[in-house]
Amino acid sequence: MITVNAMGDACPIPVIKTKKAIQKVTGAETIEVLVDNEIAVQNVTKMAQSSGGTVTSEKLAEKEFKVTIQLSGAVAKDTEAAPVTCIPDSRRNTVVVIAADHMGEGKEDLGKVLIKGFIFALTQLEELPKTILFYNGGAKITTEGSESLEDLKTLEAQGVEIMTCGTCLDYYGLKEKLQVGTVTNMYSIVETMNNADKILRP
């Protein structure tokens, strides 16, 4: 395990430190990068993915984030030569609305596989959404036991706001089991959807 402490470092320093750590890897290795803002998470993630790493991230506390990079071996020489860039957060106000713990009509087991794949696909988008809203059965996805928690934590660490309906959590008896994001109310849900540039529904 290699730890890169980039807390308090302005861009592009976190990316440069991480790239140097990646260049030293000769075999399978895990690198943990500590940063203090979502933009650094986004930029470190993009660089590590371009190097062939599998990347997850998590918000540990206010202004404290961890990016975990899993490498299977040394990176290619052409990857090492890639320029270090700092990409500002210029996302549009895209809101994803998830109202069930499955996707589509038909077999529920298949629907649960599909919604898990949908949320993973969100983590791979070039432009991440600004907010993901969960209500009704969708509230189950942000709580203990959900198979999508790791992907949601990765999205949250990159600045995606994750909001779950409090009334829905109460109804399903899950309020104490929320694992990612914050609790919201119907007024905030309506306001967020009303102000969105685009609404995406699975």
Side-chain angles (χ1 to χ4, degrees):
M1 172 80 72
I2 298 171
T3 299
V4 176
N5 188 346
M7 296 289 290
D9 292 336
C11 192
I13 301 302
V15 179
I16 293 171
K17 284 184 173 180
T18 305
K19 187 174 182 179
K20 286 181 178 178
I22 289 174
Q23 289 171 349
K24 293 178 182 178
V25 171
T26 56
E29 185 62 86
T30 299
I31 300 173
E32 285 188 350
V33 185
L34 303 177
V35 296
D36 61 8
N37 64 87
E38 294 96 337
I39 302 300
V41 175
Q42 292 177 29
N43 285 300
V44 168
T45 296
K46 284 182 171 61
M47 185 277 298
Q49 287 174 337
S50 71
S51 299
T54 300
V55 187
T56 58
S57 48
E58 184 178 356
K59 183 176 182 178
L60 303 177
E62 194 65 28
K63 296 186 177 181
E64 186 177 351
F65 304 85
K66 179 176 71 176
V67 181
T68 302
I69 305 161
Q70 293 180 316
L71 297 167
S72 57
V75 300
K77 292 297 180 184
D78 57 344
T79 303
E80 292 181 10
V84 173
T85 58
C86 285
I87 302 171
D89 191 348
S90 58
R91 292 173 293 162
R92 292 171 294 172
N93 188 15
T94 299
V95 176
V96 179
V97 176
I98 298 179
D101 63 348
H102 59 278
M103 183 177 180
E105 303 297 330
K107 293 289 187 180
E108 189 171 318
D109 287 349
L110 173 59
K112 288 184 176 181
V113 172
L114 294 177
I115 196 67
K116 183 177 185 296
F118 175 85
I119 292 171
F120 171 75
L122 291 177
T123 69
Q124 303 302 300
L125 290 176
E126 188 67 27
E127 182 182 307
L128 299 175
K130 275 287 182 74
T131 307
I132 308 178
L133 298 174
F134 293 89
Y135 56 77
N136 207 329
K140 298 175 184 178
I141 298 175
T142 59
T143 60
E144 186 179 306
S146 167
E147 294 184 359
S148 293
L149 289 178
E150 185 174 283
D151 291 331
L152 291 175
K153 288 178 179 179
T154 289
L155 289 164
E156 182 183 44
Q158 295 187 69
V160 177
E161 186 176 24
I162 296 172
M163 303 165 66
T164 304
C165 164
T167 300
C168 307
L169 289 169
D170 282 337
Y171 181 86
Y172 290 111
L174 295 171
K175 200 159 192 177
E176 301 304 318
K177 296 185 177 181
L178 185 69
Q179 296 293 303
V180 61
T182 59
V183 177
T184 191
N185 55 54
M186 190 52 66
Y187 178 82
S188 293
I189 289 172
V190 171
E191 186 176 48
T192 300
M193 292 173 70
N194 184 59
N195 293 333
D197 295 327
K198 178 170 66 176
I199 294 177
L200 184 62
R201 302 173 188 267

